[in-house]
Amino acid sequence: MRGWPVLRGRARRGRGSYAAGGDPLDAAQERRVRAVLALGGVPQADLPDGVQQVRLRLLERAASGREAPRDVSAWAAVVASNLAMDWHRAKRRQERLGERLAALRPAELPSGEETSLLSLAVARGLDELPDAQRQVVVLRFYADLPVRSIAEQLGVPEGTVKSRLHTAVRALRARLHEDEVV
């Protein structure tokens, strides 16, 4: 919590915006963050979440003991710009996943009941997996991340990710056969 006094001191000297019990962003900084997010293509409905993310990162920085940025307004604008880029990456990832799922859809769609049974069985199977296995399955097959990215983000070797995926898929397959879904 060493960073809190630094932010408070800077606010008193006019170099930061955090005052005891107040908002880490003043009104002008918040408007600037909203503008950067909006110009970065973030939809209007997501702007409040983006502003909150900037606040959270400023508070996390202070809580970790790092010194407050020299120019909180500029720092917040850069963070907002990065958030806008992240939003676009996530949107593209979702679009690619939708395209892949559409391509995998068979020409003859199973009945609604068959689809519901399969979805329910997969959901149950995921619930039964250990957390580490469920995490890599979701990141690989639902978030469409490559094994290398998953390994980097989780801080584990690629072989560990592959092993967890193999074990999880084998368990899910067994579950689906056990439930006589496939």
Side-chain angles (χ1 to χ4, degrees):
M1 300 280 279
R2 297 182 312 242
W4 294 95
V6 171
L7 283 174
R8 286 186 191 121
R10 286 181 182 259
R12 285 188 204 107
R13 292 189 302 271
R15 294 179 58 195
S17 63
Y18 188 80
D23 191 333
L25 295 175
D26 65 27
Q29 291 165 336
E30 182 176 336
R31 281 192 304 276
R32 185 175 190 187
V33 165
R34 280 180 177 276
V36 169
L37 290 168
L39 291 171
V42 175
Q44 189 73 26
D46 292 337
L47 293 180
D49 289 339
V51 172
Q52 285 301 91
Q53 282 293 320
V54 172
R55 282 188 180 102
L56 178 63
R57 291 189 185 174
L58 183 59
L59 293 173
E60 285 172 342
R61 181 183 175 112
S64 71
R66 290 180 286 167
E67 190 173 325
R70 289 186 197 273
D71 183 349
V72 174
S73 185
W75 179 90
V78 169
V79 170
S81 176
N82 290 338
L83 287 171
M85 288 189 323
D86 291 346
W87 183 87
H88 282 288
R89 285 185 196 117
K91 182 179 174 192
R92 280 195 304 270
R93 210 172 17 252
Q94 278 299 110
E95 289 169 354
R96 283 194 315 267
L97 178 60
E99 291 168 4
R100 286 179 64 192
L101 290 173
L104 294 174
R105 193 169 289 136
E108 286 186 31
L109 293 176
S111 71
E113 184 176 323
E114 290 174 12
T115 303
S116 296
L117 285 174
L118 180 59
S119 296
L120 184 59
V122 170
R124 281 190 200 145
L126 283 172
D127 285 343
E128 292 174 359
L129 291 175
D131 291 342
Q133 290 177 7
R134 181 175 45 255
Q135 183 180 36
V136 295
V137 166
V138 169
L139 290 173
R140 178 66 188 104
F141 298 112
Y142 292 95
D144 195 32
L145 294 178
V147 170
R148 175 177 284 148
S149 293
I150 296 169
E152 289 171 1
Q153 295 301 315
L154 298 179
V156 298
E158 286 183 47
T160 300
V161 173
K162 291 176 183 178
S163 173
R164 289 176 184 171
L165 278 171
H166 174 76
T167 305
V169 168
R170 191 174 63 216
L172 284 172
R173 186 176 296 126
R175 172 63 191 230
L176 294 176
H177 285 293
E178 182 181 304
D179 290 349
E180 297 179 359
V181 176
V182 291

